[in-house]
């Protein structure tokens, strides 16, 4: 989860509300301290250090702890280039937890959407949780009341 905080305004009511929701629902958080380009350039390092220190004290009282990643950035404008976006990307990549999937077990597919396509049958989208399948395999979707087997076609496959 990203928690984006305006460096000028700091922690606001909605920031605290998002932090509470994050503590309930997610294991990891990245704090994005945005709009650093609005700080005077000559004072920027000192102000950023002060803001990051204050935020670490706030997060020390949360499940994320004082060591939560805090990335100061500027998304950029037409007149000002973005700053530290590459650092944010590297932070995200270091925090991602790619789940291990068992591709040898029975095929389990979590359905996101199911809708009819005139002349084609039903289109089902979702995520493979376990197992694997190939184009032309028959797959049964009992949870949507499919009595017969459905021919599966996989036009696009994304892998992580």
């Amino acid at each position: 989860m990203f928690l984006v905080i305006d460096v000028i305004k700091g922690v606001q009511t909605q920031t605290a509300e998002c932090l509470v929701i994050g503590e309930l629902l997610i294991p990891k958080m990245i704090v994005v301290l945005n709009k650093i380009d609005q700080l005077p350039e000559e004072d920027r390092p000192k102000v950023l250090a002060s803001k990051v220190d204050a935020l670490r004290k706030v997060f020390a009282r949360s499940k994320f702890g004082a060591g939560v990643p805090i990335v100061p950035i500027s998304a950029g404008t037409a007149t000002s280039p973005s700053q530290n976006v590459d650092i944010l990307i590297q932070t995200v990549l270091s925090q991602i937890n790619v789940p291990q999937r068992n591709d040898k077990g029975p095929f389990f597919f979590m359905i996101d959407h199911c809708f009819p396509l005139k002349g084609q049958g039903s289109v089902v989208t979702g995520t493979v949780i376990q197992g694997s399948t190939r184009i032309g395999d028959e797959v049964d979707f009992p949870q949507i009341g499919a009595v017969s087997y459905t021919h599966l076609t996989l036009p696009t496959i994304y892998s992580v």
Side-chain angles (χ1 to χ4, degrees):
M1 174 177 161
F2 288 121
L3 183 62
V4 180
I5 300 174
D6 183 320
V7 72
I8 305 296
K9 295 178 182 177
V11 175
Q12 297 182 352
T13 304
Q14 64 268 29
T15 311
E17 291 168 352
C18 287
L19 178 57
V20 170
I21 291 168
E23 285 188 299
L24 294 172
L25 299 177
I26 60 163
K28 293 182 181 180
M29 176 181 288
I30 297 173
V31 179
V32 179
L33 197 55
N34 195 18
K35 300 183 181 178
I36 63 171
D37 59 314
Q38 293 183 6
L39 297 172
E41 199 164 332
E42 61 276 359
D43 297 335
R44 191 173 297 159
K46 182 179 175 184
V47 172
L48 278 176
S50 172
K51 297 281 186 174
V52 168
D53 186 51
L55 285 173
R56 294 217 179 275
K57 290 176 183 172
V58 169
F59 284 97
R61 297 187 306 261
S62 75
K63 81 172 192 178
F64 303 109
V68 66
I70 299 176
V71 182
I73 73 161
S74 170
T77 63
T79 59
S80 173
S82 63
Q83 299 174 30
N84 296 344
V85 174
D86 54 337
I87 295 171
L88 178 60
I89 291 169
Q90 289 305 314
T91 304
V92 169
L93 292 174
S94 73
Q95 297 294 313
I96 289 176
N97 179 24
V98 178
Q100 298 299 312
R101 292 189 174 89
N102 176 8
D103 62 348
K104 303 297 182 210
F107 182 67
F108 288 112
F109 183 80
M110 184 182 304
I111 296 175
D112 293 328
H113 301 284
C114 179
F115 51 92
L117 188 60
K118 190 173 182 174
Q120 299 294 316
S122 294
V123 175
V124 178
T125 64
T127 304
V128 175
I129 304 300
Q130 176 180 292
S132 62
T133 189
R134 296 171 196 241
I135 294 174
D137 283 357
E138 292 183 336
V139 178
D140 184 23
F141 293 106
Q143 62 269 47
I144 61 173
V147 177
S148 63
Y149 285 88
T150 304
H151 290 282
L152 180 69
T153 57
L154 304 172
T156 308
I157 299 175
Y158 300 96
S159 64
V160 178

